[in-house]
Amino acid sequence: MKKYRGIFLKNDKEIGLMREANRIVSTILDELGRNVEPGVPTILFEEICRARCEEHGVRPAFLGYQGFPFALCCSVNEEIVHGFPSKERILKEGDIVSFDMGVVYEGFFGDSARTFPVGQVTDEARQLMDVTRESLMKGIEQARPGNNLYDVSAAIQTYVEGYDFGIVRRFVGHGIGARLHEKPEIPNFVPQGLTGVPLKAGMVLAIEPMVTLGSDEVEVLEDKWTAVTKDRKLSAHFEHTIAITSSGPTILSQSA
């Protein structure tokens, strides 16, 4: 593993291990999505995650990380990220629910997130999810050698702001590898007065826009983890782990 500006560059073997870690995450997210429906307690999704990690022989990446008490981040409606699964929280028709999940496979991390509708949702909620998902893909398109890290950020920001949605600034994407969070940080907006890092083959990045219907202001609840929109408007979250290759970006967090 080589280093470039403090960023670990992965070789083909390491990227292969990360591809498998992320494939496992993706299959778990697939199953979570199939179980989203009104009347389901969100603790069910935690139970699925732990059972599938045991079956695959992998460790849940988030469980115990800096004290986080669950394998899954399960965030409903105005919850942006780091929400707790619960027996008491029952999904209702019209909700949206975000799952952020990670595993460790043979020493390397996988990390991905998706937002799902619960039954029939409003057109506004549907558009929020679509724009967030598409902004992620716009960012990924820019993750290629010769571009700058902030080309990724600019693509996401430009797309989201074209719909007058808010971009959460408190939480950003990150490098990933033998640690869950590595350099560089990947904002979903272009920071003023800073110069982004030139992108290079071998970088593996977790890109994760979090988008809101209203303000980008964030509040953390009394559990010290659950982050919500300050105006309590809906938020959506999508994330892929990608490898930068000489020919462009490759999405690792896919099931096939």
Side-chain angles (χ1 to χ4, degrees):
M1 191 184 297
K2 297 179 181 179
K3 234 177 177 183
Y4 161 73
R5 297 196 177 194
I7 300 165
F8 290 106
L9 301 180
K10 282 72 177 180
N11 59 37
D12 289 346
K13 179 180 178 182
E14 291 161 340
I15 290 174
L17 293 172
M18 296 191 71
R19 186 187 300 276
E20 179 60 14
N22 282 283
R23 185 195 67 79
I24 292 168
V25 172
S26 185
T27 63
I28 293 171
L29 290 175
D30 288 344
E31 183 171 355
L32 297 184
R34 290 193 295 270
N35 282 274
V36 170
E37 60 182 4
V40 173
T42 58
I43 196 65
L44 171 69
F45 306 110
E46 172 75 7
E47 293 166 355
I48 291 171
C49 286
R50 295 207 191 194
R52 297 301 168 261
C53 284
E54 188 172 345
E55 288 176 9
H56 286 288
V58 297
R59 177 168 63 84
F62 303 163
L63 183 61
Y65 181 75
Q66 297 184 351
F68 190 75
F70 296 96
L72 176 70
C73 295
C74 178
S75 307
V76 181
N77 293 337
E78 75 279 2
E79 295 172 354
I80 301 165
V81 71
H82 304 152
F84 288 2
S86 168
K87 293 179 181 177
E88 287 74 38
R89 187 65 183 264
I90 310 297
L91 293 181
K92 305 188 303 297
E93 183 86 14
D95 286 344
I96 63 173
V97 57
S98 299
F99 299 127
D100 190 358
M101 174 63 184
V103 306
V104 188
Y105 171 79
E106 295 193 15
F108 284 86
F109 284 80
D111 187 10
S112 186
R114 300 180 203 167
T115 302
F116 295 93
V118 182
Q120 294 297 316
V121 300
T122 64
D123 290 344
E124 192 175 43
R126 178 72 65 180
Q127 185 183 45
L128 175 68
M129 291 186 291
D130 290 345
V131 168
T132 307
R133 185 191 306 106
E134 187 58 28
S135 76
L136 170 59
M137 302 310 296
K138 297 289 186 186
I140 290 172
E141 287 173 7
Q142 298 301 316
R144 56 184 64 251
N147 278 3
N148 186 287
L149 179 67
Y150 291 160
D151 290 330
V152 175
S153 306
I156 294 170
Q157 181 176 12
T158 299
Y159 191 78
V160 170
E161 291 182 346
Y163 289 86
D164 291 326
F165 291 153
I167 301 169
V168 173
R169 284 160 165 74
R170 182 161 174 175
F171 304 106
V172 297
H174 51 92
I176 185 170
R179 292 181 297 168
L180 179 58
H181 294 108
E182 296 182 351
K183 292 182 178 180
E185 289 191 342
I186 309 162
N188 300 302
F189 60 95
V190 179
Q192 291 187 348
L194 296 179
T195 302
V197 177
L199 298 178
K200 192 165 183 170
M203 289 183 176
V204 180
L205 309 176
I207 303 172
E208 50 178 326
M210 302 173 199
V211 178
T212 72
L213 281 181
S215 167
D216 63 14
E217 291 187 82
V218 173
E219 182 180 330
V220 177
L221 300 184
E222 290 183 1
D223 62 22
K224 305 292 178 63
W225 280 102
T226 306
V228 301
T229 54
K230 196 167 184 180
D231 59 13
R232 298 304 192 267
K233 292 188 176 180
L234 294 180
S235 178
H237 179 198
F238 284 86
E239 176 183 21
H240 271 311
T241 295
I242 65 111
I244 300 179
T245 73
S246 57
S247 57
T250 298
I251 297 175
L252 302 181
S253 46
Q254 298 184 126
S255 304

